[in-house]
Every structure is written in C-alpha cells, then in structure tokens.
Amino acid sequence: MSARDLQERIKKLIIDRRLPSGAPLPTEPELMAHLGASRNSVREALKGLQAMGIVEIRHGFGTYVGTMSLAPMIEGLAFRTVAGHYRGEDTLLQLLQLREAVETGLVSRLAGRVADADLVELDALVDRMEEQAAQGGDGIAETDRAFHATLYRGLDNALLGEVMEAFWDAFHRVHTDLGGTPQDPLVTCRQHREIVDAVRSGDAIRAEGAISEHFGNIRARVSTTGTQHPHRCHNERV
Amino acid sequence: MSARDLQERIKKLIIDRRLPSGAPLPTEPELMAHLGASRNSVREALKGLQAMGIVEIRHGFGTYVGTMSLAPMIEGLAFRTVAGHYRGEDTLLQLLQLREAVETGLVSRLAGRVADADLVELDALVDRMEEQAAQGGDGIAETDRAFHATLYRGLDNALLGEVMEAFWDAFHRVHTDLGGTPQDPLVTCRQHREIVDAVRSGDAIRAEGAISEHFGNIRARVSTTGTQHPHRCHNERV
DNA sequence: GTGTATTTGTTCGTATGTATT
DNA sequence: TAATACATACGAACAAATACA
C-alpha cells in the first residue's frame, strides 16, 4: 500500500466519521489494522497529513484531527519566498504586492460598513501602537497584525480573515528573517490612523488611498533589503 | 534528533546551497550521515516536506527540490472545506465568497490596463467556451480556469496569479466532488463575455459588476447543494 | 511519589520495486 | 541481460512522553 493512498484513506476516514477538529484518531496499531499497512508506512502518511495541518500528533498521547489552520500555507509561502529571494528573484516584493492588491480591493468594499464596535477597537489598537512607538517600537508588529485582522473581520468571512492573516504572517516572518529594515513607527501609526478614519468616513476612494500609501511605505523598506544574508535559518519553530 | 528539527535542517540545507527547483537533494544515506539520524526519521521528515511541496520524491530515482507550487495549499483548503461542509458549516460558500471578494477588488484595478494581446486571448477563450457550451459543456471548466488565469496575468505578479488559480482549483474540486449542480453554460458564456468587454472599456465599476454577477450566478448553484453525500472520496490524486 | 499501561518517537535489519547503466 | 543505485516497505525492538491508579 503506497503512502499516498494511505493519506487519502485516512482523510476519507476523517470525512466519513464526521470527525471534528480535536477529535481523537485511531492509534497507530489500530490504523495499521484498519489500513493493512506497517507502522512505518502509517507513520509516514501521518507525517504528511501533519504537515498539511490535517492531523495533530502529540507524543505519548495520541493523534488527533488538526485545527485545519492555514499555518502550513504560511510555512510553504514563507519558504518559497525565502528560497526565491536567495536565487535573486523579487519574491518578497511579490508577496507584498499580493497583500496590497488584495487589501486595497477589500478595504473599498469595507468603507462605511464596519461595525461601530470594530471601529472603536481599531482606534484602541492605533492608540496602543502609538504607545509602543513612543517606547521604542517593542511589540508593534503584533499590534499591526491585530489591526489588519480586526479590519477585515467586518467582512464576516472567517476564511477570508484567516487568509489575510496568513499573508501577513508569511510576509512578516520572511521580512524579519531576511533582516529587513523596520519601518518608522510614527509614520506607521499615522498611516493606520488614516486607514481607520477613511473607513469610518465611508469614502471608498480615500480608504484605498490610505491602504495604498501604507503599503507604499513598506515597499520602500523592502526594496532596500537587497540580498542580505541571514545569520540564522529562515525560521525555527511553528 | 526530532523529526521537526530534521525538517528545518533540510530546509536550511536547500537555502544554504541555493538549490533551485528540480535540483537533486542528497540521497537518503547521505542525509542520514549529514543529519545524524536514521533512515526512517529522515524519510518521515521528507514526507512532511513533500506534503508542503518543498521536496519531490521520485520512487527509485531520487529526491529533488520541489516546484514550490501552491498545490499543497489547494490540498489543505479543499480538505478543510469538505470536512467543514459535512459538519454543517457553509465552508464552500465561504470559499466562493473569498474568491468573489478578492476578484472584484482585483478586476477594478485591472479595468483598462489589460494588454491588447491578453484581451484577444480572453476573447478567444470565450469563443471556445461558447463552442464547448454548444457541444454539451464538455471541458468548459478548464476553459473557465484559463480565462481567470489569463485575466489576472495582467497584474504582472506571478505569485498573485498562482494564488488566484489555487483558489479556483480548490473551489472547483470541492464543488464537483460534492456533486454541485453545474451552471448553465450559456449564462456562463454571456457573463464572461461581459467581463472582457467591461475590462476593455476601462470602466472599473462595470467590471466589478460583471464579476459580481458572475459570482452571484455561481453562488445560487452552491446554495442549493445542501448536504448531499458524495459517492467517492473528496479527491483521489494530485 | 511510584509504578504501570498506553501511545508516539527512534533505530536497526532485511527484502522488494524501480530506474539507470 | 546483468549490475548498480536508489527509494519503498515491512517487522521487531527499545526509548521517551503521557495518563492514571
């Protein structure tokens, strides 16, 4: 029995039994019996499914249905970007342009349609960002991530939100691992404030412009990154 | 040595040696020596990397750096959508809305900026689509895929194009595997023709409307899918 | 805290299938 | 056809982590 077929049969098992995220999978001996394969083959199949986020393996505890998060997609995107970067391709810039193209389109649909509760949360996030900027910019990245996540929550599509977060994560990880120059915190704060105000005003054109300016700022930093060499592996942990 | 560390070290090996896609990786015995791990551990690590598209394993031939395509992302998205569907979630609709939100934003940026060569190719694709519609609709899906791919080629971002194709593939596979009702070929042709004309005219609003109407048509078919049961596994081969 | 059972992690040895020469 | 190199698969054993009595 080939490992590829085993993966398909395990996926089919999850579908057929309607197993939700976190539900326990049969143990390795049980899977061996059910699939008629050796333990090594079963384990290799599970390793592949684990890499795709379909199953989660806990040492000494058991195997469970994974959270189906987009973490593997981030992993793949990040590696693809780093590998291409070192081969002289502008992959990091492409990744940024992907985010910009998608976010400018989304924010115009979002203008004037964000719930009041989300708007005050966005205000609070920019406030916090300003505090962090005043104190050396520590933790400002996480606030930026929360800002974008909160912004696109208004589109009422969990999948869309996750995809946007995945793009953000992939870009951020590659950018930092490649030793990209951080942005000016004060400029970043001002641009995020403008995004909130633009969305609140309901002016789609203005909102698009705000996003565009924000990304233009980031792009300037990316272009100067050049072909630096990192001192560490491009990532170390999920 | 844990399997997770092994994966990171193999990725680091690819980065450090600047291995391009298709380049041969060290054989399993060489990796065993280089990483100081047993064959089984090396194999499990490679299986995980294979699932992420980072390496490609050819039976009896060798291991190579993968094409870094987004195929694993399609795999993950498709499974996540199918699994959620059977748990009563509207995941297929969410996936469609993701495509709609992103594509409407992109097409407005695209209006009036598509190269003439691409426009004539889009025309030809719709012509072909009409032929196929007249002959029972066979192969019309592949033409639709090519249409969207050609459309977003004008944005001059290979990554963006691949992501859009990945979303299309994931949706199409899930929709067919779930036994979704196919659309009326004639309506589909008319809507694609309108998209081309709208983009050619340079009217961003009209282009957005054309895309929106197209997706509205698909959405109507998705909503009626309900909770059907497939007769086969949700997929069978990459 | 200890001990035991369960489960996954790792290793070795061996045999088989596949592609190149 | 034969030889070689490689990935694939299986089985058995031990190690490590976790849970529970």
Side-chain angles (χ1 to χ4, degrees):
Chain A
M1 188 70 58
S2 81
R4 182 127 220 120
D5 293 331
L6 288 184
Q7 287 192 359
E8 298 302 326
R9 289 175 64 189
I10 294 175
K11 288 201 284 188
K12 179 168 163 53
L13 184 147
I14 295 175
I15 297 290
D16 289 345
R17 300 190 182 178
R18 307 284 196 276
L19 297 180
S21 289
L25 246 62
T27 65
E28 288 177 353
E30 287 171 338
L31 283 176
M32 289 168 59
H34 180 68
L35 302 172
S38 74
R39 187 165 170 229
N40 277 331
S41 300
V42 170
R43 281 183 57 77
E44 286 183 9
L46 287 175
K47 282 289 178 182
L49 295 177
Q50 181 187 36
M52 291 188 279
I54 292 177
V55 308
E56 184 182 341
I57 308 176
R58 286 184 240 172
H59 189 170
F61 193 47
T63 308
Y64 299 82
V65 179
T67 56
M68 316 252 177
S69 78
L70 298 182
M73 179 176 121
I74 302 171
E75 201 78 23
L77 259 184
F79 182 81
R80 173 198 166 109
T81 304
V82 172
H85 176 81
Y86 283 114
R87 294 203 302 268
E89 306 168 22
D90 257 349
T91 50
L92 184 56
L93 188 61
Q94 277 198 351
L95 180 55
L96 183 66
Q97 286 175 336
L98 167 66
R99 285 189 56 208
E100 178 176 358
V102 174
E103 292 205 20
T104 49
L106 293 182
V107 81
S108 74
R109 295 170 67 83
L110 212 48
R113 305 183 58 175
V114 177
D116 290 341
D118 287 337
L119 283 174
V120 300
E121 188 171 337
L122 288 171
D123 281 326
L125 282 169
V126 180
D127 291 342
R128 187 176 167 193
M129 202 180 288
E130 285 172 345
E131 290 178 23
Q132 292 169 325
Q135 293 172 7
D138 209 41
I140 205 169
E142 189 51 42
T143 309
D144 180 77
R145 184 184 190 279
F147 179 91
H148 287 262
T150 304
L151 183 60
Y152 298 113
R153 206 168 54 199
L155 288 167
D156 200 37
N157 185 325
L159 175 62
L160 177 57
E162 281 189 66
V163 169
M164 299 311 299
E165 285 190 53
F167 289 165
W168 190 97
D169 287 339
F171 175 80
H172 181 259
R173 221 177 63 189
V174 175
H175 190 222
T176 56
D177 288 350
L178 252 39
T181 56
Q183 311 153 52
D184 181 350
L186 279 73
V187 175
T188 300
C189 289
R190 185 172 51 72
Q191 292 178 336
H192 280 86
R193 184 73 75 188
E194 166 62 12
I195 294 173
V196 183
D197 292 342
V199 169
R200 196 195 325 263
S201 75
D203 185 343
I205 306 294
R206 180 182 165 195
E208 279 191 42
I211 288 281
S212 196
E213 189 183 337
H214 176 39
F215 276 99
N217 179 32
I218 308 177
R219 198 184 312 125
R221 306 291 168 172
V222 169
S223 303
T224 61
T225 303
T227 55
Q228 271 181 263
H229 289 215
H231 295 246
R232 300 187 51 76
C233 182
H234 70 291
N235 58 32
E236 38 200 303
R237 187 58 52 190
V238 171
Chain B
M1 187 69 57
S2 82
R4 181 128 222 118
D5 293 331
L6 289 184
Q7 288 192 359
E8 297 303 326
R9 290 175 63 190
I10 295 175
K11 289 201 284 187
K12 180 169 163 52
L13 185 148
I14 296 175
I15 297 289
D16 289 346
R17 300 191 183 178
R18 308 284 196 276
L19 298 180
S21 289
L25 245 62
T27 65
E28 287 179 350
E30 287 171 338
L31 282 176
M32 289 169 59
H34 179 69
L35 302 171
S38 75
R39 172 168 284 129
N40 231 321
S41 298
V42 170
R43 283 182 55 77
E44 287 182 6
L46 287 176
K47 282 289 178 183
L49 295 177
Q50 183 187 34
M52 291 186 282
I54 293 177
V55 308
E56 183 182 341
I57 308 175
R58 283 185 243 171
H59 188 157
F61 194 45
T63 308
Y64 300 83
V65 179
T67 57
M68 315 256 178
S69 78
L70 298 183
M73 179 176 120
I74 301 171
E75 201 77 24
L77 259 184
F79 182 81
R80 173 198 165 108
T81 304
V82 173
H85 176 80
Y86 284 113
R87 294 204 303 269
E89 304 168 23
D90 257 348
T91 49
L92 184 55
L93 189 60
Q94 277 197 350
L95 181 55
L96 183 66
Q97 286 176 336
L98 166 67
R99 285 188 57 206
E100 179 176 358
V102 174
E103 292 205 20
T104 49
L106 293 182
V107 81
S108 74
R109 297 168 65 83
L110 213 48
R113 304 183 58 175
V114 178
D116 290 340
D118 286 339
L119 283 174
V120 300
E121 189 171 337
L122 289 171
D123 280 327
L125 283 169
V126 180
D127 291 342
R128 187 177 168 194
M129 201 179 290
E130 285 171 346
E131 289 177 23
Q132 292 169 325
Q135 293 171 7
D138 209 40
I140 204 170
E142 190 50 42
T143 308
D144 180 78
R145 184 184 190 278
F147 179 91
H148 287 261
T150 304
L151 183 60
Y152 299 113
R153 204 167 55 197
L155 288 167
D156 200 36
N157 186 325
L159 175 62
L160 178 57
E162 281 189 65
V163 169
M164 299 312 299
E165 285 190 55
F167 289 164
W168 190 97
D169 286 339
F171 175 80
H172 181 259
R173 221 177 63 189
V174 175
H175 190 222
T176 54
D177 288 350
L178 252 38
T181 55
Q183 311 154 51
D184 182 350
L186 278 73
V187 175
T188 300
C189 289
R190 186 172 49 74
Q191 291 178 336
H192 280 86
R193 183 74 73 187
E194 166 62 13
I195 293 173
V196 183
D197 292 341
V199 168
R200 196 195 325 261
S201 76
D203 185 343
I205 306 293
R206 179 182 166 195
E208 279 192 42
I211 288 281
S212 197
E213 189 183 335
H214 176 39
F215 277 99
N217 179 33
I218 309 177
R219 198 185 312 123
R221 306 291 168 174
V222 169
S223 303
T224 60
T225 303
T227 55
Q228 273 181 261
H229 289 215
H231 295 247
R232 298 186 54 75
C233 183
H234 70 292
N235 58 30
E236 35 201 304
R237 187 59 52 193
V238 171

Short mmCIF file of all heavy atoms in Angstrom, two decimals, chain A residues 47-79:
data_model
loop_
_atom_site.label_atom_id
_atom_site.label_comp_id
_atom_site.label_asym_id
_atom_site.label_seq_id
_atom_site.Cartn_x
_atom_site.Cartn_y
_atom_site.Cartn_z
N LYS A 47 2.72 11.77 8.99
CA LYS A 47 3.64 12.91 8.95
C LYS A 47 3.26 13.87 7.84
O LYS A 47 3.32 15.10 8.00
CB LYS A 47 5.08 12.42 8.75
CG LYS A 47 5.71 11.87 10.02
CD LYS A 47 6.01 12.98 10.99
CE LYS A 47 6.61 12.42 12.29
NZ LYS A 47 6.87 13.50 13.27
N GLY A 48 2.88 13.32 6.70
CA GLY A 48 2.47 14.17 5.60
C GLY A 48 1.20 14.94 5.94
O GLY A 48 1.10 16.14 5.68
N LEU A 49 0.24 14.25 6.55
CA LEU A 49 -1.01 14.92 6.93
C LEU A 49 -0.75 15.97 8.00
O LEU A 49 -1.40 17.02 8.02
CB LEU A 49 -2.03 13.89 7.42
CG LEU A 49 -2.50 12.88 6.37
CD1 LEU A 49 -3.44 11.86 7.01
CD2 LEU A 49 -3.20 13.60 5.24
N GLN A 50 0.20 15.68 8.88
CA GLN A 50 0.54 16.65 9.92
C GLN A 50 1.09 17.93 9.29
O GLN A 50 0.75 19.04 9.72
CB GLN A 50 1.57 16.05 10.87
CG GLN A 50 1.97 16.99 12.00
CD GLN A 50 3.12 16.42 12.84
OE1 GLN A 50 4.02 15.78 12.31
NE2 GLN A 50 3.09 16.65 14.13
N ALA A 51 1.91 17.78 8.26
CA ALA A 51 2.49 18.95 7.60
C ALA A 51 1.41 19.79 6.94
O ALA A 51 1.58 21.00 6.77
CB ALA A 51 3.52 18.51 6.56
N MET A 52 0.30 19.17 6.56
CA MET A 52 -0.79 19.92 5.95
C MET A 52 -1.79 20.43 6.99
O MET A 52 -2.80 21.02 6.63
CB MET A 52 -1.50 19.05 4.92
CG MET A 52 -0.64 18.77 3.70
SD MET A 52 -1.52 17.94 2.36
CE MET A 52 -1.50 16.24 2.90
N GLY A 53 -1.52 20.15 8.26
CA GLY A 53 -2.42 20.64 9.31
C GLY A 53 -3.68 19.83 9.44
O GLY A 53 -4.61 20.24 10.13
N ILE A 54 -3.73 18.67 8.79
CA ILE A 54 -4.95 17.86 8.82
C ILE A 54 -5.01 17.02 10.08
O ILE A 54 -6.08 16.78 10.62
CB ILE A 54 -5.04 16.99 7.54
CG1 ILE A 54 -5.25 17.92 6.33
CG2 ILE A 54 -6.14 15.96 7.65
CD1 ILE A 54 -5.28 17.19 5.02
N VAL A 55 -3.86 16.55 10.55
CA VAL A 55 -3.83 15.83 11.82
C VAL A 55 -2.80 16.48 12.74
O VAL A 55 -1.91 17.22 12.29
CB VAL A 55 -3.52 14.33 11.65
CG1 VAL A 55 -4.43 13.70 10.64
CG2 VAL A 55 -2.07 14.14 11.27
N GLU A 56 -2.97 16.21 14.01
CA GLU A 56 -2.04 16.74 15.01
C GLU A 56 -1.56 15.57 15.85
O GLU A 56 -2.37 14.79 16.35
CB GLU A 56 -2.76 17.77 15.88
CG GLU A 56 -1.87 18.46 16.89
CD GLU A 56 -2.69 19.43 17.73
OE1 GLU A 56 -3.77 19.81 17.28
OE2 GLU A 56 -2.25 19.78 18.83
N ILE A 57 -0.25 15.43 15.98
CA ILE A 57 0.33 14.29 16.68
C ILE A 57 0.95 14.77 17.99
O ILE A 57 1.77 15.69 17.99
CB ILE A 57 1.39 13.59 15.81
CG1 ILE A 57 0.81 13.26 14.43
CG2 ILE A 57 1.89 12.33 16.49
CD1 ILE A 57 1.82 12.66 13.48
N ARG A 58 0.54 14.16 19.10
CA ARG A 58 1.12 14.52 20.40
C ARG A 58 1.86 13.31 20.97
O ARG A 58 1.26 12.25 21.21
CB ARG A 58 0.02 14.98 21.36
CG ARG A 58 -0.50 16.37 21.03
CD ARG A 58 -1.51 16.82 22.05
NE ARG A 58 -2.81 17.10 21.46
CZ ARG A 58 -3.90 17.36 22.17
NH1 ARG A 58 -3.86 17.36 23.49
NH2 ARG A 58 -5.04 17.60 21.56
N HIS A 59 3.12 13.52 21.18
CA HIS A 59 3.99 12.45 21.66
C HIS A 59 3.46 11.84 22.96
O HIS A 59 3.19 12.55 23.92
CB HIS A 59 5.40 13.01 21.89
CG HIS A 59 6.43 11.95 22.17
ND1 HIS A 59 7.77 12.22 22.20
CD2 HIS A 59 6.32 10.64 22.41
CE1 HIS A 59 8.43 11.12 22.47
NE2 HIS A 59 7.56 10.15 22.60
N GLY A 60 3.35 10.54 22.94
CA GLY A 60 2.93 9.83 24.15
C GLY A 60 1.48 10.01 24.52
O GLY A 60 1.05 9.60 25.59
N PHE A 61 0.71 10.64 23.62
CA PHE A 61 -0.67 10.94 23.97
C PHE A 61 -1.62 10.40 22.92
O PHE A 61 -2.52 9.63 23.25
CB PHE A 61 -0.83 12.46 24.13
CG PHE A 61 -2.11 12.86 24.77
CD1 PHE A 61 -2.55 12.22 25.92
CD2 PHE A 61 -2.89 13.86 24.22
CE1 PHE A 61 -3.75 12.60 26.51
CE2 PHE A 61 -4.07 14.23 24.82
CZ PHE A 61 -4.50 13.60 25.95
N GLY A 62 -1.39 10.76 21.69
CA GLY A 62 -2.27 10.26 20.65
C GLY A 62 -2.25 11.14 19.41
O GLY A 62 -1.54 12.14 19.36
N THR A 63 -3.05 10.77 18.45
CA THR A 63 -3.16 11.52 17.21
C THR A 63 -4.58 12.08 17.11
O THR A 63 -5.54 11.38 17.42
CB THR A 63 -2.87 10.61 16.00
OG1 THR A 63 -1.62 9.95 16.20
CG2 THR A 63 -2.79 11.41 14.72
N TYR A 64 -4.70 13.32 16.68
CA TYR A 64 -6.00 13.99 16.68
C TYR A 64 -6.22 14.72 15.36
O TYR A 64 -5.27 15.02 14.64
CB TYR A 64 -6.07 14.99 17.84
CG TYR A 64 -5.90 14.31 19.17
CD1 TYR A 64 -4.64 14.01 19.67
CD2 TYR A 64 -7.01 13.93 19.91
CE1 TYR A 64 -4.48 13.35 20.87
CE2 TYR A 64 -6.88 13.29 21.12
CZ TYR A 64 -5.61 12.99 21.59
OH TYR A 64 -5.47 12.34 22.77
N VAL A 65 -7.46 14.97 15.08
CA VAL A 65 -7.79 15.77 13.89
C VAL A 65 -7.27 17.18 14.12
O VAL A 65 -7.49 17.77 15.18
CB VAL A 65 -9.30 15.78 13.63
CG1 VAL A 65 -9.62 16.64 12.41
CG2 VAL A 65 -9.82 14.36 13.44
N GLY A 66 -6.57 17.71 13.13
CA GLY A 66 -5.93 19.01 13.28
C GLY A 66 -6.92 20.16 13.26
O GLY A 66 -8.11 19.98 13.02
N THR A 67 -6.41 21.35 13.53
CA THR A 67 -7.26 22.54 13.58
C THR A 67 -7.56 23.05 12.18
O THR A 67 -8.35 23.98 12.02
CB THR A 67 -6.57 23.65 14.38
OG1 THR A 67 -5.30 23.91 13.79
CG2 THR A 67 -6.35 23.21 15.82
N MET A 68 -6.93 22.47 11.17
CA MET A 68 -7.15 22.89 9.79
C MET A 68 -6.82 24.37 9.61
O MET A 68 -7.42 25.06 8.78
CB MET A 68 -8.60 22.66 9.37
CG MET A 68 -9.12 21.32 9.81
SD MET A 68 -9.34 20.19 8.48
CE MET A 68 -9.87 18.74 9.37
N SER A 69 -5.89 24.86 10.38
CA SER A 69 -5.49 26.26 10.21
C SER A 69 -4.69 26.40 8.92
O SER A 69 -4.36 25.42 8.27
CB SER A 69 -4.65 26.72 11.39
OG SER A 69 -3.34 26.24 11.26
N LEU A 70 -4.37 27.62 8.56
CA LEU A 70 -3.61 27.86 7.34
C LEU A 70 -2.11 27.93 7.63
O LEU A 70 -1.35 28.42 6.80
CB LEU A 70 -4.09 29.15 6.68
CG LEU A 70 -5.57 29.12 6.25
CD1 LEU A 70 -5.95 30.41 5.56
CD2 LEU A 70 -5.83 27.95 5.34
N ALA A 71 -1.70 27.47 8.80
CA ALA A 71 -0.28 27.50 9.16
C ALA A 71 0.60 26.82 8.12
O ALA A 71 1.66 27.36 7.79
CB ALA A 71 -0.08 26.86 10.54
N PRO A 72 0.21 25.67 7.58
CA PRO A 72 1.05 25.06 6.55
C PRO A 72 1.20 25.94 5.32
O PRO A 72 2.26 25.97 4.69
CB PRO A 72 0.30 23.77 6.20
CG PRO A 72 -0.54 23.48 7.39
CD PRO A 72 -0.92 24.80 7.94
N MET A 73 0.14 26.67 4.99
CA MET A 73 0.22 27.57 3.85
C MET A 73 1.23 28.68 4.13
O MET A 73 2.01 29.06 3.25
CB MET A 73 -1.16 28.19 3.61
CG MET A 73 -1.21 29.17 2.47
SD MET A 73 -2.89 29.76 2.19
CE MET A 73 -2.67 31.51 2.44
N ILE A 74 1.24 29.18 5.35
CA ILE A 74 2.24 30.19 5.73
C ILE A 74 3.63 29.63 5.57
O ILE A 74 4.53 30.25 5.01
CB ILE A 74 1.99 30.65 7.18
CG1 ILE A 74 0.58 31.21 7.33
CG2 ILE A 74 3.03 31.68 7.60
CD1 ILE A 74 0.20 31.49 8.76
N GLU A 75 3.78 28.41 6.09
CA GLU A 75 5.08 27.73 6.01
C GLU A 75 5.56 27.64 4.57
O GLU A 75 6.69 28.03 4.24
CB GLU A 75 4.94 26.33 6.60
CG GLU A 75 6.23 25.71 7.04
CD GLU A 75 6.68 26.29 8.37
OE1 GLU A 75 5.80 26.80 9.12
OE2 GLU A 75 7.88 26.25 8.64
N GLY A 76 4.69 27.15 3.71
CA GLY A 76 5.06 26.99 2.32
C GLY A 76 5.34 28.31 1.64
O GLY A 76 6.34 28.46 0.92
N LEU A 77 4.49 29.29 1.86
CA LEU A 77 4.69 30.61 1.26
C LEU A 77 6.00 31.21 1.72
O LEU A 77 6.76 31.77 0.93
CB LEU A 77 3.53 31.54 1.64
CG LEU A 77 2.43 31.77 0.60
CD1 LEU A 77 1.43 32.78 1.11
CD2 LEU A 77 3.02 32.22 -0.71
N ALA A 78 6.27 31.12 3.02
CA ALA A 78 7.47 31.73 3.57
C ALA A 78 8.71 31.08 2.98
O ALA A 78 9.64 31.76 2.55
CB ALA A 78 7.47 31.60 5.10
N PHE A 79 8.71 29.75 2.93
CA PHE A 79 9.89 29.08 2.40
C PHE A 79 10.09 29.41 0.92
O PHE A 79 11.21 29.69 0.48
CB PHE A 79 9.76 27.56 2.56
CG PHE A 79 10.98 26.83 2.08
CD1 PHE A 79 12.10 26.73 2.87
CD2 PHE A 79 11.01 26.27 0.81
CE1 PHE A 79 13.22 26.08 2.42
CE2 PHE A 79 12.13 25.62 0.35
CZ PHE A 79 13.24 25.53 1.16
#
